[in-house]
Amino acid sequence: MIMSSLGVAFALLGAALSALLSGVGSAKGVGIAGQAAAGVTTEDPNKFSQVLILQLLPGTQGIYGLLIAFITMTQIGVMGGSADMSLAKGLLYLAACLPMGVVGLFSAIAQGKAAVASIGLVSKRPDQFGKAMIFPAMVETYAILALLISILAIFGVGALNV
């Protein structure tokens, strides 16, 4: 009984870390981009919609982390079903959640910094908005790769009889 509770506890830790780390990264990334966006909007309120889009880009990692947490909780039976598993399986779920959590943390902050630079570009050359979007979007690629790895790993762990 204790071992099955420990397995669920580790799986829940993985879900929590995925949402927590990605959420912290997104909050930081959106925050630093928001500071730059507010400065540009102060000078030219007509650029609000362009800089807002750039500011919001680092927020996606928090959404991805939350998605991984929901998928994990569904897979382990916490959101309906039987939450009973071995310690080994709980540790595997924890490991499966970590790519999204760790990459989400760092990529959201990096994306926020890239968004700041793009906001600076838009402030001086608003006609270059399309190009400015590409810089922070490139960072998004790595968050999406981590999301895919975590999803595949979670479903892979679910299929194991450990």
Side-chain angles (χ1 to χ4, degrees), residues 5 31 41 53 60 73 85 109 155:
S5 296
T41 304
I53 291 168
T60 56
M73 289 188 298
M85 73 180 64
I109 294 168
F155 285 114

Side-chain angles (χ1 to χ4, degrees), residues 18 22 94-105 145-147 149-150 153:
S18 178
S22 295
L94 170 62
C97 292
L98 287 179
M100 188 64 251
V102 174
V103 174
L105 171 66
L145 293 174
L147 173 67
I149 288 299
S150 284

Side-chain angles (χ1 to χ4, degrees), residues 83-116:
D84 186 28
M85 73 180 64
S86 68
L87 175 61
K89 197 164 191 174
L91 289 170
L92 288 171
Y93 275 115
L94 170 62
C97 292
L98 287 179
M100 188 64 251
V102 174
V103 174
L105 171 66
F106 291 110
S107 69
I109 294 168
Q111 192 173 33
K113 292 175 182 178
V116 167

